Amino acid sequence: MRQVSHLVSSVFSRVSCSYKRDFYFVQITMTESVGRTELFPDIEPYDSGFLQVSDLHSLYYEQSGNPKGLPVLFLHGGPGAGVVVPRERCWFDPEYYRIILFDQRGAGRSKPSAELKDNTTWDLVSDIEKLREKLGVEAWVLFGWSWGTTLTLVYAESHPQRVKAIIVHGIFLCTKKEIDWLYVDGCSQIWPDLHEEYLKIIPLEERKDLIKAYNKRLNSEDHNVSLPAAKAWSLWELQIMRPQIDPFYVQFADDVEFCLNFARIECHYFLNGGFLESDSYILDNVHKLKDIPTTIINGRFDVITPMESAWKLHKSLPKSELIVAPLDGHSEKDLGILMALLNATEKYKTLPVENQSC
């Protein structure tokens, strides 16, 4: 039995659920107060540096906001996208939060750039723990979107005692179904014109395994091969971030270093199923998060990480909060998603702050 009410004037819908016998009840209601609608003002970090996490990899990290505040860790997308600053510092009240950002292996300012060796999900989970220990954080709020939701969930399942709350947007469980939807066939039915451009880089005889074919080109030592492939891979994803093509995202395709980092690392991870033990790994272990306050946010018209994964995650965590932005896509710039993310960071300001070194 399902009871649903809609108000067309709503900016986003708040979804709560409860279980009773064999019935699953869903109620969608208007939020009485939309809360904050703009990012916090730009700020500069009070601390930054590099953390050597292996003989090969060194990660860029930074801290801003209140050194004595509630620690929050921002986990960027991709994998390989890196942190776009200063914007990503501005999701959090700098008077309350100790804001921690870092570039994952091979991404952004981390070194070496676009390096695939010793670059797996489990390496990243280990890196997060090393960063936590270096910064003297007992436990933190995790804030991630897209691939960052995958990493958030895998890290939290591995170290639930180190997580105070979870805020995730654009849920990606790193299943073959999700990967094929975006890079093989599925999303192509919504954006066939753009997908045709994405296909052009691959000869007809190699299109039976598009990810493998792209991986071969992205790792070519010939830049006449790797660079066009990196741009085509990146442009496909950047153009479908929102229901309308947004020049803000498309401009990143002109950055050669960004495209190589983004495309090579993404393809490497998705060719290997995110290096997870099974296709259902995250949901199989999500019970470990049952006592962690969790806010799940997804755009109804997100074609990169469709709503199904957010719904499955929410059903697996009955105490979680699911917020659906009814007119939005994958972008954090979309108004409903932007407000939902900001309101979630405001909500978790009620969490206690333990003694910590900084």
Side-chain angles (χ1 to χ4, degrees):
M1 180 178 180
R2 179 174 296 177
Q3 297 176 337
V4 181
S5 62
H6 291 280
L7 290 177
V8 295
S9 60
S10 67
V11 178
F12 58 81
S13 306
R14 189 173 301 274
V15 180
S16 58
C17 68
S18 60
Y19 293 90
K20 184 177 180 181
R21 295 182 181 175
D22 295 325
F23 297 98
Y24 183 66
F25 292 87
V26 182
Q27 185 176 13
I28 303 178
T29 58
M30 264 291 291
T31 303
E32 293 182 3
S33 173
V34 296
R36 191 175 182 91
T37 60
E38 295 181 355
L39 296 179
F40 289 92
D42 290 351
I43 53 173
E44 293 298 319
Y46 63 79
D47 172 48
S48 64
F50 288 86
L51 174 63
Q52 195 74 37
V53 291
S54 74
D55 291 340
L56 179 60
H57 289 277
S58 179
L59 307 186
Y60 171 82
Y61 71 90
E62 63 174 51
Q63 301 186 80
S64 56
N66 181 355
K68 298 292 185 181
L70 177 65
V72 59
L73 180 67
F74 177 92
L75 294 169
H76 67 69
V83 173
V84 181
V85 294
R87 178 182 174 86
E88 313 305 12
R89 303 172 190 143
C90 303
W91 293 101
F92 317 98
D93 183 346
E95 294 185 4
Y96 189 83
Y97 280 103
R98 179 183 174 188
I99 305 161
I100 303 166
L101 284 65
F102 81 104
D103 289 322
Q104 297 160 28
R105 293 191 182 202
R109 288 148 292 183
S110 291
K111 304 172 184 177
S113 181
E115 178 58 61
L116 303 183
K117 184 180 178 182
D118 300 329
N119 196 340
T120 73
T121 303
W122 301 108
D123 291 314
L124 301 185
V125 169
S126 174
D127 293 346
I128 294 170
E129 270 298 275
K130 289 174 182 175
L131 181 62
R132 183 191 63 78
E133 291 170 359
K134 175 180 175 59
L135 300 180
V137 173
E138 181 66 23
W140 41 18
V141 175
L142 301 180
F143 181 102
W145 60 55
S146 199
W147 161 257
T149 70
T150 316
L151 186 54
T152 291
L153 294 168
V154 174
Y155 171 82
E157 289 174 356
S158 301
H159 302 282
Q161 74 279 11
R162 301 302 182 187
V163 181
K164 296 178 73 68
I166 292 172
I167 302 169
V168 281
H169 151 237
I171 310 308
F172 180 60
L173 302 177
C174 210
T175 63
K176 186 177 187 301
K177 181 179 179 180
E178 292 166 299
I179 293 168
D180 286 350
W181 160 268
L182 182 56
Y183 297 106
V184 181
D185 183 44
C187 189
S188 58
Q189 298 174 48
I190 300 172
W191 291 96
D193 46 346
L194 300 182
H195 194 259
E196 188 172 289
E197 295 300 313
Y198 165 77
L199 284 177
K200 279 183 180 179
I201 207 83
I202 307 299
L204 284 171
E205 62 271 17
E206 293 185 58
R207 292 184 187 176
K208 290 183 179 179
D209 194 334
L210 283 171
I211 297 176
K212 182 178 179 180
Y214 257 102
N215 189 66
K216 172 184 171 182
R217 286 159 179 78
L218 291 169
N219 289 286
S220 171
E221 294 182 0
D222 184 350
H223 281 187
N224 292 322
V225 174
S226 61
L227 294 183
K231 182 163 185 174
W233 176 284
S234 302
L235 197 56
W236 161 241
E237 193 166 338
L238 292 167
Q239 289 182 117
I240 60 176
M241 289 285 292
R242 307 183 77 178
Q244 305 84 29
I245 296 175
D246 186 340
F248 172 80
Y249 294 108
V250 175
Q251 68 177 327
F252 289 102
D254 294 326
D255 184 330
V256 171
E257 184 176 7
F258 172 84
C259 286
L260 279 174
N261 290 0
F262 183 64
R264 285 191 73 198
I265 297 173
E266 270 201 342
C267 196
H268 166 68
Y269 270 73
F270 301 153
L271 184 66
N272 291 283
F275 301 94
L276 301 179
E277 294 174 13
S278 70
D279 204 48
S280 59
Y281 179 86
I282 291 175
L283 292 183
D284 287 346
N285 290 276
V286 79
H287 61 277
K288 298 174 184 177
L289 313 182
K290 62 183 177 63
D291 295 322
I292 299 175
T294 300
T295 298
I296 303 165
I297 300 163
N298 222 94
R300 175 69 71 185
F301 295 102
D302 187 334
V303 299
I304 292 178
T305 55
M307 262 292 300
E308 183 180 29
S309 294
W311 185 248
K312 287 180 177 179
L313 179 62
H314 179 50
K315 287 178 68 177
S316 299
L317 288 174
K319 295 180 182 179
S320 67
E321 175 186 39
L322 173 62
I323 300 172
V324 179
L327 303 177
D328 295 351
H330 190 66
S331 171
E332 78 286 358
K333 292 175 64 183
D334 290 338
L335 184 58
I337 291 171
L338 183 145
M339 289 195 301
L341 287 168
L342 287 170
N343 289 342
T345 66
E346 290 294 286
K347 170 185 175 180
Y348 290 124
K349 286 165 64 173
T350 58
L351 294 170
V353 181
E354 293 92 356
N355 293 328
Q356 54 185 310
S357 60
C358 46

